[in-house]
Amino acid sequence: MPTELRLDTVICQDVEELEFSSSNDKVNVVHKLLDTFLWQGRWSKNNITTPKERRTSGENRFSRANRAQPDSTAAINVESKREHGSGRSSGPLLSGTAYCISSCSMILLNKIVLSSYAFDAGISLMLYQNLISCILVALLSLFGAVTLEKLNWKLIRVWLPVNVIFVAMLVSGMYSLKYINIAMVTILKNVTNILTAIGELYLFRKRQNQQVWAAMFLMIISAITGGITDLTFDSVGYAWQFTNCVLTASYSLTLRRVMDKAKLMTESGSLNEVSMVLLNNMLSLPFGIFLILLFSEWDYVINTEVIKMPMFWAVATASGVLGLSISFTSMWFLNQTGPTTYSLVGSLNKIPISIVGIVLFKVPVSLTNLFSILFGLFAGVFFAKAKMA
């Protein structure tokens, strides 16, 4: 809240408290208002009092100012705490929680579509999910639930590098999830934290403390041991996952830079999260169509029997709805925090999703592999604590 708004709030509160006083106290109301303006430096009582009045009432005015200042200071401190305390702390908490729920649900549904239904067209699934997101955003805008910025070619040109990374990130994530179990995918995603921290160091000159680097070292150890002891190891899946880690780190770092630049390309000078979600998903559609034709996925999609199952479309559509949710919450959360914290919280939600993935999909795990998974999860917790230190 700007200083002017805080000041107006204080003045209104003072008037409301004093307006029920006797008529003899009306002078005190005026003095308190003037003293508040004097303390803020916007007005001066010298501008409205005569020299004689200033000489005769200087001492009393000084006394009243001293009495009024603590009240005004206290009120402004309350407003400041309300803004900077609960406001800023609840923002990252709510956005982070929403991001975690959306991310976990999306991983489970994608795993069901790709593995349980044996759907071998990850790019087509990505295209369908993004199309659902575009339709939902358009409907929300049509009914006045959200406000969208007008898109223009300057904005699209600025956003294209982010969108290319976005599409590649989604596609690589689809294929890695197809070949690797959820628990190992979540552990290998720790590599994203390391790459993001290195990127922040070189791009934003943001240095990490020794505990953070120690946690990253533990993450590397857990990823290596987890891969060695993985009973369902698949080299193709691991290659896709490491590619996804590089792309995810690049996406979070690039998005942070491009968001500020993109705002300058709009008519209003701002770009809300919903507009960014629509821009991201809409621009991904032509890329998705091109990739489907390039890798001949279209022939597979129109001939596979799974698309005739209503339940498959229900799950795929639900994943599309979550695609919109995760796009919105990730941008919301990234705006509230930063790239490293964004990746950090993404690593913390690995604990429940790993457990659910092992139980739900009946993944065979050895004792050493389970230990590696738990080691990686706790390394993520240690990383979180180190970042908060």
Side-chain angles (χ1 to χ4, degrees):
M1 187 182 294
T3 304
E4 290 79 9
L5 293 179
R6 286 202 299 270
L7 177 59
D8 293 340
T9 304
V10 172
I11 294 173
C12 291
Q13 289 173 343
D14 287 341
V15 172
E16 290 171 355
E17 291 171 0
L18 295 173
E19 65 181 354
F20 298 103
S21 303
S22 63
S23 59
N24 293 332
D25 292 331
K26 290 182 180 179
V27 176
N28 292 333
V29 176
V30 176
H31 277 298
K32 192 164 187 178
L33 293 177
L34 293 176
D35 288 333
T36 303
F37 279 112
L38 176 63
W39 181 70
Q40 288 290 334
R42 287 175 52 176
W43 286 5
S44 173
K45 289 196 291 184
N46 292 340
N47 295 334
I48 58 175
T49 57
T50 64
K52 182 178 180 180
E53 289 173 331
R54 289 198 299 270
R55 287 194 301 270
T56 56
S57 60
E59 183 176 352
N60 292 334
R61 187 168 64 250
F62 179 78
S63 177
R64 282 194 301 270
N66 285 339
R67 288 195 302 270
Q69 182 172 331
D71 295 337
S72 302
T73 305
I76 290 175
N77 285 340
V78 169
E79 290 297 316
S80 180
K81 288 180 181 178
R82 200 172 293 155
E83 176 195 358
H84 299 291
S86 61
R88 289 191 177 179
S89 62
S90 62
L93 178 62
L94 290 175
S95 58
T97 303
Y99 167 68
C100 288
I101 293 174
S102 301
S103 178
C104 290
S105 302
M106 183 102 178
I107 290 174
L108 288 173
L109 286 181
N110 281 343
K111 185 66 176 177
I112 291 173
V113 172
L114 295 170
S115 296
S116 299
Y117 287 97
F119 187 67
D120 193 21
I123 301 174
S124 300
L125 179 60
M126 181 271 296
L127 178 68
Y128 180 70
Q129 290 173 345
N130 292 355
L131 178 62
I132 292 294
S133 297
C134 291
I135 294 173
L136 289 175
V137 171
L139 290 174
L140 290 173
S141 176
L142 182 64
F143 289 103
V146 297
T147 303
L148 296 174
E149 291 288 336
K150 292 183 179 179
L151 305 182
N152 56 70
W153 286 111
K154 289 183 179 180
L155 178 61
I156 291 173
R157 283 197 299 269
V158 170
W159 200 265
L160 272 177
V162 175
N163 193 254
V164 171
I165 300 174
F166 174 73
V167 172
M169 179 186 72
L170 292 182
V171 172
S172 60
M174 290 284 188
Y175 281 105
S176 67
L177 197 60
K178 175 179 173 61
Y179 295 104
I180 311 176
N181 65 75
I182 291 178
M184 283 310 304
V185 166
T186 55
I187 295 304
L188 294 174
K189 279 183 177 292
N190 281 334
V191 177
T192 303
N193 294 330
I194 300 170
L195 296 176
T196 304
I198 295 173
E200 282 192 329
L201 177 62
Y202 285 97
L203 295 177
F204 303 108
R205 304 300 177 188
K206 184 176 180 180
R207 299 186 178 276
Q208 310 294 342
N209 58 51
Q210 293 183 351
Q211 290 182 338
V212 171
W213 291 112
M216 292 180 185
F217 177 75
L218 295 178
M219 290 177 180
I220 295 174
I221 297 298
S222 68
I224 295 174
T225 56
I228 293 174
T229 59
D230 186 7
L231 298 179
T232 59
F233 179 85
D234 190 297
S235 59
V236 175
Y238 273 71
W240 277 115
Q241 183 53 51
F242 281 116
T243 302
N244 179 257
C245 290
V246 175
L247 291 169
T248 304
S250 302
Y251 175 72
S252 62
L253 292 167
T254 306
L255 181 62
R256 186 73 178 188
R257 278 191 158 186
V258 170
M259 279 193 295
D260 293 333
K261 189 176 180 180
K263 292 176 182 178
L264 303 176
M265 303 300 171
T266 60
E267 293 181 0
S268 64
S270 63
L271 189 65
N272 58 38
E273 284 87 353
V274 181
S275 299
M276 286 189 281
V277 167
L278 177 62
L279 185 62
N280 233 355
N281 287 278
M282 187 180 67
L283 291 180
S284 70
L285 298 182
F287 284 112
I289 294 173
F290 172 75
L291 292 174
I292 288 173
L293 297 175
L294 180 64
F295 292 101
S296 302
E297 271 196 6
W298 179 247
D299 294 334
Y300 167 82
V301 172
I302 61 176
N303 292 316
T304 184
E305 293 294 324
V306 73
I307 63 171
K308 299 177 182 178
M309 301 173 60
M311 196 61 193
F312 167 80
W313 287 106
V315 176
T317 303
S319 67
V321 176
L322 285 171
L324 172 62
S325 175
I326 196 172
S327 296
F328 175 78
T329 55
S330 64
M331 288 186 179
W332 178 26
F333 185 49
L334 188 60
N335 264 332
Q336 293 286 330
T337 54
T340 299
T341 306
Y342 171 80
S343 298
L344 160 64
V345 174
S347 68
L348 290 178
N349 69 355
K350 294 172 183 176
I351 298 176
I353 194 63
S354 296
I355 297 172
V356 172
I358 291 174
V359 174
L360 185 63
F361 296 98
K362 299 178 181 179
V363 178
V365 292
S366 63
L367 184 61
T368 52
N369 183 242
L370 182 61
F371 177 77
S372 299
I373 293 172
L374 293 175
F375 183 76
L377 294 175
F378 283 108
V381 175
F382 179 63
F383 181 85
K385 289 185 176 181
K387 285 293 295 180
M388 296 176 183

